[in-house]
Amino acid sequence: MIACIRSARVCVSRKAFVPSEPAASSSLIRRFQSVERQVLFNRHSHNKHANAIVSTITLNRPKANAMGRIMLQELSDTLNTLENDDETRCVVVTSSSQKVFSAGADLKERATMTMEEASDFVTCLRNAMNRFSRLPMPTVAAVEGVAVGGGLELALAADLRIAGSNATFGLPETSLAIIPGAGGTQRLSRLIGMARAKELIFTARRIDASTAFDYGLVQHVAKSGEAELKAMELAWEIAKNGPIAIRSAKEAVDRGIEASKMEDALEIERECYQRVIPTHDRLEGLSAFREGRSPAYKGQ
């Protein structure tokens, strides 16, 4: 049996973000880091928004960020941290390589598993994608190069996706006589429509960044090598806003879209709106508007 581990500690480093120096936000994608960890976790502060924190998850396994037991465990450890993180206002998931976001499951490792172990592994992978999608703060995937199989499923689990112009996307599982098993069949069809999702899954076809944009799979296409920079710019644009409001808005959209009736969805919105009414941040927003200054939200 493969246990879905949720208890290990994560090493965290903190970095300052300086908008005038693009390398500060793009250095993580230059090359695979010479450390043993396959998932790197960093928190970044902003020199203009003292209370805003953006965290990055960086896939760091040469050569293809193949998702095996170790990477899955380290990703789970990172999610443990973020699920209880009141400081982080947005998360960017990216890769240490400009050539590959993730090529999906480690097929060499998979070949050594029994049928039961393979089933357990896919269950753990699906659970990790679900946990990532349910993080309370917004998430952005910065995709350079190849994002296929589980790599695309991780990007699909993010709230927003930024592609470098060199990015390619696909769910090739049917070419291996299996199906996407970590949310791909469900999230892709909800995002781009059932017919387009079926075509991509049935044919195992890859699409480029331009087609992904046309389909609505990604929200922005950046120059090759600049997807993380664009994602960080978007993350800071989000992070400067009221953090309780942002989390409440995410919950309202995510829960509301699954409601069977509009009145139920509007009730979810009402519940989420009620949560922001008693906050100090709401009063700070009103005061800042009245005084003609930028608000300083504290998440209170």
Side-chain angles (χ1 to χ4, degrees):
M1 297 289 287
I2 299 174
C4 299
I5 300 173
R6 296 177 58 126
S7 60
R9 297 177 61 188
V10 174
C11 297
V12 180
S13 62
R14 187 181 294 270
K15 298 183 178 182
F17 177 78
V18 183
S20 61
E21 299 177 8
S25 63
S26 60
S27 59
L28 291 178
I29 64 174
R30 296 300 182 190
R31 61 186 64 85
F32 286 106
Q33 304 294 296
S34 57
V35 297
E36 293 183 359
R37 291 194 62 83
Q38 296 182 12
V39 176
L40 308 178
F41 180 52
N42 295 282
R43 287 196 177 99
H44 307 260
S45 57
H46 198 289
N47 65 341
K48 291 185 177 180
H49 306 288
N51 298 317
I53 299 293
V54 169
S55 291
T56 52
I57 299 171
T58 306
L59 306 181
N60 185 55
R61 184 187 180 190
K63 300 178 180 178
N65 281 326
M67 295 180 177
R69 291 184 175 100
I70 294 174
M71 176 174 279
L72 180 56
Q73 178 177 322
E74 292 185 6
L75 178 60
S76 181
D77 297 342
T78 302
L79 295 174
N80 290 342
T81 299
L82 286 168
E83 285 168 342
N84 300 290
D85 187 343
D86 292 329
E87 290 187 336
T88 294
R89 298 190 181 182
C90 190
V91 175
V92 173
V93 60
T94 185
S95 167
S96 291
S97 171
Q98 292 185 7
K99 295 182 179 180
V100 58
F101 178 74
S102 172
D106 184 340
L107 297 182
K108 291 183 179 179
E109 183 180 272
R110 184 75 64 86
T112 68
M113 296 179 183
T114 65
M115 287 189 293
E116 183 181 21
E117 288 173 337
S119 178
D120 289 344
F121 179 83
V122 173
T123 296
C124 290
L125 187 62
R126 185 185 304 115
N127 290 342
M129 301 304 178
N130 287 341
R131 291 175 63 198
F132 180 68
S133 73
R134 293 170 182 165
L135 286 175
M137 68 288 289
T139 55
V140 184
V143 179
E144 297 280 359
V146 176
V148 297
L152 176 53
E153 287 175 311
L154 177 58
L156 288 170
D159 295 308
L160 302 167
R161 284 152 296 280
I162 311 296
S165 60
N166 68 329
T168 58
F169 303 86
L171 293 174
E173 284 83 354
T174 56
S175 69
L176 299 170
I178 56 176
I179 71 170
T185 62
Q186 303 307 306
R187 292 192 175 93
L188 185 64
S189 58
R190 284 165 169 75
L191 190 63
I192 69 173
M194 185 180 297
R196 278 179 169 167
K198 284 181 176 179
E199 182 178 4
L200 293 181
I201 293 169
F202 294 169
T203 62
R205 184 187 304 152
R206 292 191 190 186
I207 58 174
D208 60 18
S210 177
T211 303
F213 178 77
D214 291 341
Y215 281 10
L217 175 57
V218 301
Q219 282 64 59
H220 302 277
V221 177
K223 293 180 180 179
S224 179
E226 296 185 4
E228 186 182 0
L229 176 60
K230 178 64 177 178
M232 290 297 288
E233 290 174 352
L234 179 59
W236 289 120
E237 189 176 356
I238 293 169
K240 69 181 182 182
N241 296 321
I244 298 175
I246 291 295
R247 292 184 180 213
S248 296
K250 175 173 176 173
E251 181 180 342
V253 173
D254 287 352
R255 288 178 55 201
I257 202 69
E258 299 296 335
S260 58
K261 298 185 294 185
M262 177 60 76
E263 51 263 42
D264 294 336
L266 291 174
E267 175 59 22
I268 292 170
E269 181 184 77
R270 186 197 68 79
E271 292 173 5
C272 292
Y273 193 94
Q274 286 298 115
R275 196 176 303 152
V276 304
I277 292 296
T279 64
H280 292 292
D281 281 350
R282 183 181 71 87
L283 299 178
E284 165 63 12
L286 293 173
S287 296
F289 178 78
R290 183 173 59 250
E291 297 165 12
R293 58 176 175 82
S294 297
Y297 296 123
K298 299 180 178 180
Q300 300 174 350

